[in-house]
Amino acid sequence: LITLHGIEKTYQMGDISVPVLKGISLAIRQGELIALTGSSGSGKSTLMNILGCLDRPTAGEYWLEGQEISQLSADERALLRNRKLGFVFQSFNLLARTSAIENVAMPLSYSTENLSSSEARKRAAEMLGRVGLGDRLDHYPSQLSGGQQQRVAIARALINHPPVLFADEPTGNLDSRTSEEVLQMFEQLNAEEGITIIMVTHDPKVAGHAKQIIRIEDGLIQDNAAADGP
Amino acid sequence: LITLHGIEKTYQMGDISVPVLKGISLAIRQGELIALTGSSGSGKSTLMNILGCLDRPTAGEYWLEGQEISQLSADERALLRNRKLGFVFQSFNLLARTSAIENVAMPLSYSTENLSSSEARKRAAEMLGRVGLGDRLDHYPSQLSGGQQQRVAIARALINHPPVLFADEPTGNLDSRTSEEVLQMFEQLNAEEGITIIMVTHDPKVAGHAKQIIRIEDGLIQDNAAADGP
Ligand SMILES: Nc1ncnc2c1ncn2[C@@H]1O[C@H](COP(=O)(O)OP(=O)(O)OP(=O)(O)O)[C@@H](O)[C@H]1O
Ligand SMILES: Nc1ncnc2c1ncn2[C@@H]1O[C@H](COP(=O)(O)OP(=O)(O)OP(=O)(O)O)[C@@H](O)[C@H]1O
Ligand SMILES: [Mg+2]
Ligand SMILES: [Mg+2]
């Protein structure tokens, strides 16, 4: 499904070069459930942004479903994202001036299904119910707790049933019981709908839910192995 | 040092009332190191905002160093915060258009010490060095990883050596080694400088570093007990 070959990312700050990804190569098959771990600043979000077509590498190749996409334009990448990829951001990126239910319903406007606004609203409400926020539909992000905002971001990423979900620290603001509920929902989507899931996490318990763990340090992959599952 | 008596907080959303804190009473002595836990949406950040003088309760009393402060004006609360309280926000709240070192140096302008700008800069650099960001001084928040932004927020909260530090999920975006470093720094500040520390956390390992654990559920305290320390 996904192949990365020699992916590099270097930021330019004036005359200083900041190399962040230094040659990442990996392959991800359809239906996998993968945890990406590594210390703070090691390059996980940078790698996720490239995988999620939010950013371009400075070198290397990215093959998605047989198409090499590292040099697509911003518009072409946006089209790809809206059709195929769900993304949960480390800092949520909710629209501040729209309510929880409106934030979640927003990606439905890209869907090929052409839903009526009441049908879209109904689905958004149902997805928010699945993450335990059925009684918070009309709250604005500033009227939600950190973990509630995180769950709105998760619901929004899943509303279009994307074949691939990228989740950057999806449980960082959640207590253990709510984390467990979110992870079980991910496992169910992976098992029943075959959604390919790649999640960044600092939590060994979360990584334990994955079938494969990729560890990145200082911009390079250090291990890439099957998890010793439960 | 701190006494809360029957603290309530209810939000008004049009004609709907959302009761969040339903009668919180507790006492915190100088020099304590306390963990505040509870599920997502239980009221932890709301309670922290009241304790940190960022918000006012709808009912109840808040005694800080013998002064009842629940009805202070916004200006009076700002003065109190700048002089006595350090606060690490769950969503960091860094100034987007200023660099890491400038963000950290900012509270020094409230300090009674009247530092020169080069002395202020030197101290901010040293504090950032303590959280492992000595090589990221001139990066802007958007050029930092999630965990690096969190550490800038921690450095900023500590730069004035406040007698009380409130930290809302200070390690939520940090890997276990970096988390451990931050917690050891907190323990050292508590042991050597007597700083009173109240931290919200979802992580049982973090709570394990505290001497006392307060658990809040649905706006009420469920337990308030000494931690079975190591
Ligand atoms: N401005 C507001 N208006 C209405 N409701 C609010 C507002 N701010 C917070 N709430 C509600 O108050 C409740 C408690 O929020 P709070 O942020 O204190 O939770 P928390 O314990 O910090 O949760 P988390 O662990 O997810 O950060 C939540 O259910 C939230 O929806
Ligand atoms: N726009 C940028 N310009 C310069 N450097 C950047 C930029 N964005 C990120 N960086 C640097 O790239 C490195 C990796 O960042 P990244 O966000 O990928 O880390 P991460 O592994 O997700 O960390 P965390 O676990 O803290 O979220 C960091 O050292 C950061 O300072
Ligand atoms: Mg990150
Ligand atoms: Mg909170």
Side-chain angles (χ1 to χ4, degrees):
Chain A
L1 180 65
I2 286 172
T3 304
L4 298 185
H5 190 71
I7 289 290
E8 294 176 25
K9 181 71 185 183
T10 298
Y11 290 105
Q12 215 52 45
M13 295 179 58
D15 18 306
I16 304 173
S17 278
V18 184
V20 173
L21 299 179
K22 302 173 184 173
I24 300 278
S25 299
L26 53 82
I28 296 171
R29 284 182 305 273
Q30 187 109 34
E32 289 199 16
L33 178 53
I34 295 175
L36 177 61
T37 68
S39 50
S40 174
S42 57
K44 305 178 298 296
S45 296
T46 302
L47 179 58
M48 291 285 277
N49 289 342
I50 287 169
L51 285 167
C53 297
L54 292 152
D55 195 12
R56 289 214 302 236
T58 25
E61 291 156 17
Y62 177 6
W63 298 81
L64 176 66
E65 292 185 327
Q67 181 192 6
E68 207 290 314
I69 61 171
S70 63
Q71 301 311 317
L72 291 186
S73 73
D75 285 346
E76 290 169 308
R77 277 184 288 120
L79 202 64
L80 204 53
R81 284 199 309 271
N82 295 333
R83 284 197 352 255
K84 297 192 180 191
L85 311 176
F87 205 102
V88 186
F89 292 87
Q90 189 168 5
S91 52
F92 323 145
N93 292 17
L94 299 178
L95 295 173
R97 290 192 223 103
T98 59
S99 66
I101 191 168
E102 290 162 344
N103 262 285
V104 174
M106 192 140 305
L108 292 171
S109 58
Y110 307 129
S111 153
T112 46
E113 279 178 274
N114 238 327
L115 301 167
S116 70
S117 69
S118 67
E119 176 62 35
R121 198 179 157 83
K122 185 152 158 284
R123 278 210 209 169
E126 189 249 345
M127 188 59 89
L128 280 166
R130 285 177 74 168
V131 293
L133 293 177
D135 62 349
R136 289 285 182 269
L137 303 181
D138 299 318
H139 282 231
Y140 286 75
S142 61
Q143 297 171 324
L144 294 170
S145 78
Q148 291 170 340
Q149 292 173 32
Q150 189 158 37
R151 285 180 274 160
V152 174
I154 290 168
R156 180 181 63 176
L158 290 170
I159 194 84
N160 263 335
H161 298 277
V164 191
L165 174 72
F166 298 100
D168 197 343
E169 310 254 13
T171 62
N173 284 283
L174 301 177
D175 56 283
S176 42
R177 206 197 75 203
T178 316
S179 279
E180 198 54 37
E181 288 168 15
V182 164
L183 292 168
Q184 282 179 13
M185 178 175 71
F186 283 4
E187 284 177 333
Q188 185 179 19
L189 290 165
N190 176 251
E192 296 178 11
E193 298 183 35
I195 294 182
T196 306
I197 299 180
I198 297 127
M199 49 189 189
V200 169
T201 182
H202 282 308
D203 189 342
K205 277 221 285 72
V206 172
H209 280 263
K211 302 177 203 158
Q212 186 163 340
I213 300 180
I214 297 175
R215 189 170 66 88
I216 169 174
E217 256 348 301
D218 207 24
L220 290 167
I221 293 181
Q222 303 297 329
D223 316 306
N224 186 347
D228 346 295
Chain B
L1 180 66
I2 287 173
T3 305
L4 298 185
H5 191 71
I7 288 290
E8 295 176 23
K9 181 73 186 184
T10 299
Y11 290 106
Q12 216 52 45
M13 295 179 60
D15 21 306
I16 304 172
S17 277
V18 183
V20 173
L21 299 179
K22 301 172 185 173
I24 301 277
S25 299
L26 52 82
I28 296 171
R29 284 182 306 273
Q30 187 110 33
E32 291 199 15
L33 179 54
I34 295 176
L36 177 60
T37 67
S39 49
S40 174
S42 56
K44 305 178 297 297
S45 296
T46 303
L47 178 58
M48 290 285 275
N49 289 343
I50 287 168
L51 284 167
C53 298
L54 292 151
D55 195 13
R56 288 212 304 235
T58 25
E61 289 154 22
Y62 177 6
W63 298 81
L64 176 66
E65 291 184 329
Q67 182 192 5
E68 207 290 313
I69 61 171
S70 63
Q71 300 311 315
L72 290 186
S73 72
D75 286 346
E76 290 169 310
R77 277 184 288 120
L79 202 63
L80 204 53
R81 285 201 307 272
N82 295 333
R83 287 198 349 254
K84 297 193 180 190
L85 311 176
F87 205 102
V88 186
F89 293 86
Q90 189 168 3
S91 53
F92 322 146
N93 293 18
L94 299 178
L95 295 173
R97 290 191 224 104
T98 60
S99 66
I101 192 169
E102 289 163 344
N103 261 284
V104 174
M106 191 138 307
L108 292 172
S109 59
Y110 307 131
S111 153
T112 46
E113 279 179 274
N114 239 326
L115 300 168
S116 70
S117 68
S118 67
E119 176 61 35
R121 199 180 156 83
K122 186 153 157 288
R123 280 212 209 167
E126 190 249 346
M127 189 58 89
L128 280 165
R130 287 177 74 168
V131 293
L133 293 177
D135 62 349
R136 288 285 180 268
L137 304 181
D138 300 317
H139 282 231
Y140 287 74
S142 61
Q143 298 170 325
L144 294 171
S145 78
Q148 291 170 342
Q149 292 174 33
Q150 189 158 37
R151 283 180 275 162
V152 174
I154 290 167
R156 181 180 63 175
L158 289 171
I159 194 85
N160 263 334
H161 297 276
V164 191
L165 174 73
F166 297 100
D168 198 342
E169 309 253 14
T171 61
N173 283 284
L174 301 177
D175 57 282
S176 43
R177 206 196 75 200
T178 316
S179 277
E180 196 56 36
E181 288 168 14
V182 164
L183 292 168
Q184 282 179 12
M185 179 175 72
F186 283 4
E187 283 176 335
Q188 184 180 17
L189 291 165
N190 176 251
E192 296 178 10
E193 297 184 33
I195 294 182
T196 307
I197 299 180
I198 298 126
M199 48 189 188
V200 169
T201 183
H202 283 305
D203 189 341
K205 279 221 283 73
V206 172
H209 280 261
K211 302 177 201 158
Q212 187 164 338
I213 300 181
I214 297 175
R215 188 170 65 88
I216 170 174
E217 255 350 299
D218 207 24
L220 289 167
I221 292 181
Q222 303 298 329
D223 315 306
N224 186 347
D228 345 297

